[in-house]
Amino acid sequence: VSMLQANKARLVTSFHLRTLEIRKKEIDYFCSVYDQMCSISTYLAGFAATTLTIDITEEQKKEKPLLVFLFLLCTATAFGAHLLVVVIATMCSMWGPGKALRGDDSTSVDYAIFVLEETQAKTLRYFIAGCLCYFVSSILVVWLIFDYRGALVITIGMGLCIMWLFTKSFVIFQQLVSKQVISGRVKGNRVRNVGELMGDVDLSAEEGVSASFATRI
């Protein structure tokens, strides 16, 4: 009987470890996404900060006050949005895996992945908003520095490049991003007969499989 119980505990523990390996792949995926966004936002935030140092003359402020206001607004927004992405991505990359690793059981892993997934969606919005503001700022600064003809030519060229960039990004997004996301979390007890055999009806694993599941067996 002891050997049979030991084999049962080993089976459940192995199953639990495999599910945690799958969940770890999800954590690694989210960390890689945050790392990529952080890298790109770092460059764009640096570009936006450099753009803010452009010397605007008093003559330009008097002749084009609205243009100067929009330029400063878009540039500052782009800098703030990308800086926010860098901060959020850094904190999630540092503390997300730590929450999953140092938790009491697998519920900590589930909660860490839930937070990483929810935060990723919000961070992506900040990232896209920062990119849009940066592109608009790049066009506005052209109208501050160059004359009408030169600014028009540059604006048309940059506008076509921006349209092409967002069109390609949208196509890639539609082809690679799944509309239906399947989580690696186990919500059922696939070895329910073990619990019934051991005389413990509470071993249903309805709230997820944890390390205490095998311990109680």
Side-chain angles (χ1 to χ4, degrees):
V1 178
S2 299
M3 183 64 70
L4 181 61
Q5 292 178 345
N7 288 333
K8 293 173 183 176
R10 181 177 60 85
L11 174 63
V12 176
T13 303
S14 300
F15 172 74
H16 176 64
L17 290 175
R18 291 299 300 272
T19 58
L20 288 181
E21 289 177 1
I22 296 175
R23 303 250 72 187
K24 183 181 181 299
K25 293 181 183 296
E26 293 186 72
I27 295 178
D28 293 339
Y29 162 73
F30 286 118
C31 287
S32 66
V33 172
Y34 283 118
D35 182 65
Q36 294 298 323
M37 287 195 295
C38 181
S39 300
I40 299 175
S41 291
T42 300
Y43 287 111
L44 294 179
F47 295 154
T50 304
T51 307
L52 285 173
T53 61
I54 293 178
D55 187 20
I56 302 176
T57 63
E58 293 294 334
E59 182 179 355
Q60 290 175 332
K61 294 179 182 179
K62 293 180 180 179
E63 292 180 355
K64 307 173 182 177
L66 180 59
L67 191 61
V68 171
F69 171 77
L70 292 176
F71 164 71
L72 294 177
L73 177 63
C74 292
T75 306
T77 303
F79 174 74
H82 285 298
L83 184 61
L84 185 61
V85 170
V86 172
V87 173
I88 294 176
T90 302
M91 290 191 298
C92 288
S93 299
M94 289 191 306
W95 296 333
K99 174 66 176 178
L101 179 64
R102 295 179 294 179
D104 296 332
D105 50 30
S106 64
T107 57
S108 298
V109 179
D110 296 334
Y111 181 74
I113 294 176
F114 171 76
V115 173
L116 290 175
E117 185 175 7
E118 292 294 320
T119 307
Q120 179 203 1
K122 298 178 182 178
T123 307
L124 184 60
R125 297 191 191 101
Y126 299 145
F127 178 79
I128 296 176
C131 290
L132 288 174
C133 291
Y134 177 76
F135 290 140
V136 174
S137 171
S138 301
I139 294 176
L140 292 175
V141 72
V142 170
W143 289 90
L144 285 175
I145 298 177
F146 298 98
D147 57 6
Y148 177 80
R149 180 176 298 180
L152 182 61
V153 173
I154 297 175
T155 300
I156 294 175
M158 291 185 64
L160 292 176
C161 291
I162 293 172
M163 290 178 59
W164 178 82
L165 175 64
F166 278 96
T167 300
K168 289 298 182 180
S169 300
F170 180 76
V171 172
I172 294 174
F173 179 84
Q174 291 293 324
Q175 292 179 350
L176 296 183
V177 177
S178 301
K179 296 181 180 179
Q180 182 179 2
V181 180
I182 301 177
S183 174
R185 181 185 180 187
V186 178
K187 297 182 179 180
N189 182 3
R190 298 185 180 182
V191 287
R192 179 183 176 186
N193 58 332
V194 176
E196 294 177 349
L197 182 62
M198 300 302 296
D200 190 352
V201 295
D202 294 331
L203 295 177
S204 60
E206 293 179 353
E207 300 299 329
V209 180
S210 64
S212 60
F213 181 82
T215 303
R216 292 170 61 188
I217 292 181

